[in-house]
Amino acid sequence: MSNDASQGANVELAHRIGSEIAAVHAAEVDRNARFPAEAIAALKDARLLSALVPQELGGMGMKMVELTAVCTALGQYCAATAMVFAMHQIQVACIVRHGLGSEFFRQYCRELVDKQLLIGSITSEVGVGGDTRSSICAVEVDGDRFVLNKDATTVSYGAHADELLVTCRRDLAAARSDQVMVLVRRGQYTLEQTSQWDTLGMRGTCSPGFKFRSRGDAAQILPGDYADSSGQTMVPYSHILWSGLWLGIASDAMSRAASSVRAEARRNPGTVPPTALRLAELSNTLQSMRSNVHDVARDCQELQESAEGNESLLTLGFALKMNNLKISCSTLVVQIVHQALLICGIQGYKNDSKFSLGRHLRDAHSAQLMIGNDRIYGRSASMLLVYKDA
Amino acid sequence: MSTTDDIRQILKAHGRLSADADTLAEDADLYQAGLTSHASVNVMLGLEGQFDIEFPDRMLKRGVFGSIASIRDAIEELTAS
Ligand SMILES: Cc1cc2nc3c(=O)[nH]c(=O)nc-3n(C[C@H](O)[C@H](O)[C@H](O)COP(=O)(O)OP(=O)(O)OC[C@H]3O[C@@H](n4cnc5c(N)ncnc54)[C@H](O)[C@@H]3O)c2cc1C
């Protein structure tokens, strides 16, 4: 089942969009730190922005294993495209897994299918850094309307999104950790850019800081607590889909290194080039990264489909597994690209060679910062004080 | 002291609640009262020490630590013999 899902028609489609469109613009998207508009348009045309919407509402009802494979495929051609796609899916996951009891969100999903709307995320906030589980801003509801303002540090494709899913305190009296999510639609909000996005990597995600101001209808507040949607959806989908696309970056680095070694071998048939040994080592590391991503994606999907369903995603054991996946993949992707660079040598170091790995390396370095690994280690450390089945 | 009083003491010491643990209703939502997942670990540790119990992994769920009443149910289940 998982094999089919990771090699199915949608994954092939992602490879096609990746090789024919995303890869063609990747270098320029990176150089100019511009939004990968062509690739995102192609993903919309392929109706992949509603991949997670259940079939009864017109979507594909795609599951975790397949979606992860799509992210891996895209990550091989343009990591920024893959990251925009993954972040969008994380937001859709929150809506389809927690919002469908509400008529507003059911109707919204139908519209998402129809118009292939792109959803951005505002969890980060000036004053709380990367701690997604606390907010300073609060949604203020008056009758059936709300007002919500947030000073966000980093909003990927903020200027290109159709809607934004924003975390905030439940009301002005609520504790920082007592949060909800609000879907704010284009036309209901303004964004005032407060910083630039001139970064080392992931430049095409276009993620500067913004002062966000909005008003809307109270029905747009996602039902339930963010504490649950975070543990059951936002965290697992983020860590698995991100790891999936980092695996894509690592796989492409591996394939560039492999073709460089093959080219060398062809020049000297009969002798195994010394770099082949390093390639064997790289292949070993890549395999453990790939197994980890596949295993955890499958585990998550199986738990979702189990009798206990969403409840089983709230255990400490599951949270630890998610943390470990994120930490190891974000670390391995840098290690793998670095090893590949040593194999390709100067050809990998050059920006204008077919073995170039500069963009891969710069993109890979974002992985350990996107929710800082020490922050995640800190959470795991405290869970391990009470968790027994470690 | 009753189990409930002990639970209130531990919430007071480690829960970092924005509400007063002494007067909080037994079924009030502790997370809405400001309990973070980090503080809930300290509450678990405090309870394990106080009652000389170990919460098995199946009980280490948000819901179990969601109210004074649900914590008491869990402790009673573990101490009943
Ligand atoms: C490519 C990219 C795209 C992004 N897109 C978005 C987006 O669309 N929307 C959005 O809201 N955010 C986005 N972010 C922001 C992201 O979610 C985090 O908020 C951000 O990466 C963390 O920023 P920070 O390093 O300043 O913060 P911090 O989390 O404050 O971390 C700073 C340092 O302190 C350490 N640290 C912090 N707390 C602890 C702790 N308790 N224990 C140990 N160490 C700790 C961290 O590990 C890190 O080393 C994006 C980030 C990147 C890199």
Side-chain angles (χ1 to χ4, degrees):
Chain A
M1 178 198 77
S2 54
N3 268 354
D4 291 344
S6 53
Q7 291 158 14
N10 287 312
V11 179
E12 251 172 58
L13 186 60
H15 276 292
R16 188 141 27 92
I17 292 171
S19 60
E20 292 173 9
I21 299 165
V24 174
H25 301 282
E28 195 253 316
V29 160
D30 175 54
R31 194 177 324 114
N32 297 331
R34 72 142 172 100
F35 184 67
E38 301 84 353
I40 299 302
L43 291 163
K44 289 184 178 190
D45 287 345
R47 317 211 56 76
L48 279 165
L49 294 202
S50 52
L52 284 174
V53 173
Q55 284 170 348
E56 85 234 29
L57 295 173
M60 293 179 183
M62 194 182 280
K63 304 213 170 108
M64 183 61 99
V65 170
E66 186 177 8
L67 188 61
T68 306
V70 169
C71 291
T72 302
L74 293 172
Q76 293 175 43
Y77 306 96
C78 171
T81 298
M83 184 52 85
V84 171
F85 179 75
M87 287 202 274
H88 164 80
Q89 300 300 345
I90 296 159
Q91 313 316 307
V92 178
C94 289
I95 292 172
V96 302
R97 288 166 48 71
H98 303 277
L100 295 188
S102 130
E103 194 39 49
F104 167 80
F105 282 100
R106 294 182 75 82
Q107 192 48 42
Y108 176 75
C109 284
R110 292 189 190 98
E111 204 180 322
L112 175 62
V113 171
D114 190 37
K115 300 186 181 149
Q116 295 293 303
L117 303 164
L118 181 66
I119 313 175
S121 159
I122 311 189
T123 57
S124 66
E125 183 171 15
V126 174
V128 298
D131 180 10
T132 57
R133 285 293 286 106
S134 56
S135 292
I136 297 169
C137 70
V139 61
E140 296 170 59
V141 178
D142 184 9
D144 55 6
R145 301 285 297 165
F146 74 78
V147 174
L148 172 59
N149 302 322
K150 186 165 184 172
D151 195 353
T153 62
T154 322
V155 186
S156 290
Y157 53 95
H160 305 273
D162 296 299
E163 352 265 358
L164 294 164
L165 196 58
V166 185
T167 53
C168 53
R169 286 185 296 140
R170 179 186 310 279
D171 54 50
L172 282 173
R176 278 187 173 202
S177 57
D178 185 12
Q179 298 160 288
V180 291
M181 295 184 102
V182 185
L183 180 72
V184 188
R185 310 205 53 185
R186 173 170 277 183
Q188 296 181 318
Y189 62 82
T190 58
L191 289 173
E192 181 196 329
Q193 192 173 331
T194 52
S195 58
Q196 303 301 313
W197 184 253
D198 182 5
T199 47
L200 193 59
M202 286 293 179
R203 294 168 58 83
T205 63
C206 299
S207 319
F210 290 101
K211 273 198 162 66
F212 162 88
R213 291 189 188 81
S214 71
R215 280 166 196 283
D217 202 298
Q220 294 168 226
I221 301 173
L222 195 69
D225 297 337
Y226 176 60
D228 290 330
S229 34
S230 169
Q232 291 173 331
T233 305
M234 175 83 84
V235 172
Y237 278 73
S238 300
H239 292 186
I240 295 173
L241 298 183
W242 290 349
S243 295
L245 78 92
W246 298 331
L247 174 62
I249 299 175
S251 308
D252 192 53
M254 164 82 193
S255 84
R256 287 181 191 215
S259 70
S260 145
V261 172
R262 286 196 304 272
E264 205 179 325
R266 281 185 213 116
R267 280 193 292 273
N268 248 326
T271 52
V272 176
T275 48
L277 201 69
R278 289 279 162 259
L279 186 66
E281 184 185 33
L282 182 57
S283 146
N284 184 303
T285 318
L286 183 65
Q287 180 175 322
S288 57
M289 181 179 184
R290 180 177 290 123
S291 309
N292 200 357
V293 172
H294 287 186
D295 267 15
V296 176
R298 198 176 43 240
D299 262 17
C300 178
Q301 182 170 323
E302 279 170 6
L303 282 174
Q304 284 175 20
E305 290 169 349
S306 72
E308 256 203 291
N310 271 347
E311 268 301 299
S312 56
L313 305 184
L314 289 178
T315 59
L316 285 193
F318 183 73
L320 272 169
K321 192 175 274 184
M322 291 305 119
N323 287 355
N324 285 333
L325 176 73
K326 195 276 176 178
I327 289 169
S328 70
C329 289
S330 62
T331 311
L332 284 180
V333 64
V334 174
Q335 196 178 312
I336 290 170
V337 179
H338 173 73
Q339 285 178 317
L341 176 63
L342 297 183
I343 292 170
C344 294
I346 198 71
Q347 292 305 322
Y349 198 63
K350 286 185 168 179
N351 285 327
D352 58 354
S353 114
K354 65 175 176 171
F355 301 114
S356 173
L357 284 164
R359 174 163 52 84
H360 298 64
L361 193 59
R362 289 182 291 100
D363 288 343
H365 273 294
S366 69
Q368 296 176 46
L369 316 181
M370 283 191 81
I371 314 296
N373 278 7
D374 273 355
R375 190 184 273 285
I376 299 179
Y377 265 128
R379 286 193 203 131
S380 292
S382 97
M383 289 189 245
L384 284 165
L385 299 179
V386 289
Y387 185 64
K388 282 100 198 165
D389 189 24
Chain B
M1 254 194 350
S2 74
T3 304
T4 309
D5 290 335
D6 283 342
I7 296 170
R8 288 185 190 280
Q9 283 308 313
I10 285 162
L11 283 170
K12 232 178 145 125
H14 306 294
R16 302 226 209 124
L17 303 185
S18 47
D20 181 4
D22 282 333
T23 53
L24 204 61
E26 291 193 4
D27 60 352
D29 186 324
L30 294 177
Y31 299 105
Q32 288 193 10
L35 185 68
T36 63
S37 45
H38 183 72
S40 75
V41 165
N42 293 329
V43 170
M44 290 173 201
L45 288 170
L47 294 165
E48 290 189 335
Q50 172 75 24
F51 292 97
D52 192 21
I53 49 173
E54 285 208 324
F55 291 107
D57 293 329
R58 70 179 164 83
M59 281 189 176
L60 299 179
K61 281 187 190 168
R62 227 181 124 67
V64 173
F65 298 89
S67 69
I68 292 173
S70 62
I71 294 175
R72 192 183 50 223
D73 289 348
I75 292 172
E76 282 171 357
E77 187 186 325
L78 293 176
T79 49
S81 51

